[in-house]
Amino acid sequence: EEIAYEKAGIAKSNKPMIYGDTVAVPIIEKQANLVDAKLVVRDREFSIQKEANQFSWAGVEHTIEAIQIPEHWAQGEINNLATSLAAIESYNSSLLPTTELLNNILKDFFIPGRFELIKSGTNWVLDVAHNPAAAKNFRKRLSTLNIKQNNIMIFSMMKDKNLDLFINVFKDIISDWVVCKMNTERSYTTLELEKKLARLGIDNIKVMESTEEAFKYVENLEPISDNIIVSGSFELVGPAKQYLNQKRY
């Protein structure tokens, strides 16, 4: 609720404010009313629904049908798409894409660092998820890969994040955990990460003092795991992308 209150501070008088969630709506609504903003809420003023193997979006005054969602998307990405379309409609509905144009965009659409798949000896899966909701969404996307249990996770987080809730999302698919300190004072130390994992009943833990050491370590493992999963922070995924790009070129 505190976060919702802070986020609602962006509300402007007589301007639309698009809210792409369904929690803490009364708090958002209260803030919008204080400045006379025009609140547009998911599953109230706009929505997206699955129909057979396609999706249909309904806005305040417009609809887009027969949307083909990418196969590796989870509900988080679908909700974000619905919210983006609502924002376009609120700004200038003439800019809304046709079904054909939208499907062409979605066919090759991806956000770097979000469920980014990189082949480098083995499969690397990079995602900047750093809170429980994002972790659950990432976990659902991983299930679309028919992922098994022999996976390594390179993991680190900022000190203000909830380690327990994040770690528990992945416990059933991670065989080995590699923890490292990121290049920021806001990062948990390796000792803090190791202790937290141990308290949650995890014992296959390897401690590395830097992100680069962690990346090199997992690449030299024999036998290699099914997937190398990198998640927990932008400050971890960014260096992973840089490391893999340097190897590629």
Side-chain angles (χ1 to χ4, degrees):
E1 292 186 354
E2 182 179 348
I3 294 174
Y5 178 81
E6 292 177 356
K7 296 286 188 183
I10 66 171
K12 303 296 181 184
S13 178
N14 294 316
K15 299 293 183 181
M17 183 167 74
I18 318 302
Y19 186 51
D21 210 334
T22 57
V23 299
V25 172
I27 295 173
I28 300 293
E29 199 154 34
K30 180 179 179 180
Q31 289 300 102
N33 290 337
L34 284 175
V35 297
D36 199 25
K38 301 173 182 177
L39 185 61
V40 180
V41 180
R42 177 167 64 83
D43 291 347
R44 193 176 74 180
E45 280 79 23
F46 68 95
S47 63
I48 189 164
Q49 302 292 333
K50 188 173 184 179
E51 298 176 353
N53 294 322
Q54 299 176 326
F55 284 76
S56 176
W57 174 82
V60 176
E61 297 180 351
H62 301 80
T63 61
I64 302 175
E65 298 181 348
I67 302 171
Q68 297 172 3
I69 296 297
E71 62 178 339
H72 294 314
W73 275 22
Q75 194 60 48
E77 287 68 39
I78 295 169
N79 291 342
N80 287 343
L81 172 62
T83 305
S84 299
L85 293 172
I88 294 172
E89 182 186 41
S90 294
Y91 175 70
N92 184 346
S93 61
S94 68
L95 297 176
L96 281 169
T98 63
T99 295
E100 181 180 7
L101 176 58
L102 180 57
N103 286 337
N104 282 336
I105 293 170
L106 294 178
K107 183 172 58 177
D108 299 313
F109 179 83
F110 89 102
I111 299 175
R114 283 288 188 189
F115 200 74
E116 186 169 356
L117 308 177
I118 299 175
K119 184 73 174 178
S120 179
T122 189
N123 297 319
W124 290 66
V125 189
L126 279 53
D127 197 287
V128 297
H130 54 276
N131 59 54
K136 290 176 183 177
N137 193 73
F138 179 33
R139 177 66 177 81
K140 289 177 182 176
R141 298 190 75 179
L142 286 171
S143 67
T144 67
L145 299 176
N146 295 319
I147 203 163
K148 298 181 174 62
Q149 293 181 323
N150 185 31
N151 304 288
I152 291 176
M153 176 173 273
I154 303 175
F155 169 68
S156 193
M157 291 192 86
M158 298 294 191
K159 293 178 180 178
D160 61 343
K161 304 304 178 184
N162 191 315
L163 282 174
D164 294 49
L165 294 179
F166 188 95
I167 293 167
N168 281 327
V169 171
F170 301 100
K171 282 176 64 176
D172 64 322
I173 60 169
I174 302 300
S175 57
D176 296 273
W177 296 75
V178 179
V179 299
C180 58
K181 187 179 185 303
M182 299 176 290
N183 188 27
T184 170
E185 291 304 313
R186 295 173 56 210
S187 171
Y188 276 109
T189 66
T190 53
L191 180 60
E192 289 170 327
L193 292 167
E194 185 179 21
K195 284 183 176 180
K196 177 59 70 175
L197 286 164
R199 282 198 292 268
L200 292 174
I202 297 169
D203 53 15
N204 292 334
I205 309 166
K206 185 68 176 180
V207 176
M208 293 289 154
E209 291 306 317
S210 71
T211 56
E212 186 169 358
E213 283 184 22
F215 306 146
K216 289 180 178 178
Y217 168 76
V218 297
E219 283 202 308
N220 292 325
L221 285 177
E222 293 290 347
I224 197 68
S225 66
D226 293 333
N227 298 280
I228 298 170
I229 300 169
V230 183
S231 190
S233 176
F234 287 89
E235 296 287 343
L236 179 61
V237 170
K241 282 178 58 65
Q242 184 177 22
Y243 175 82
L244 293 170
N245 285 336
Q246 287 174 346
K247 287 195 60 182
R248 192 181 303 175
Y249 300 109

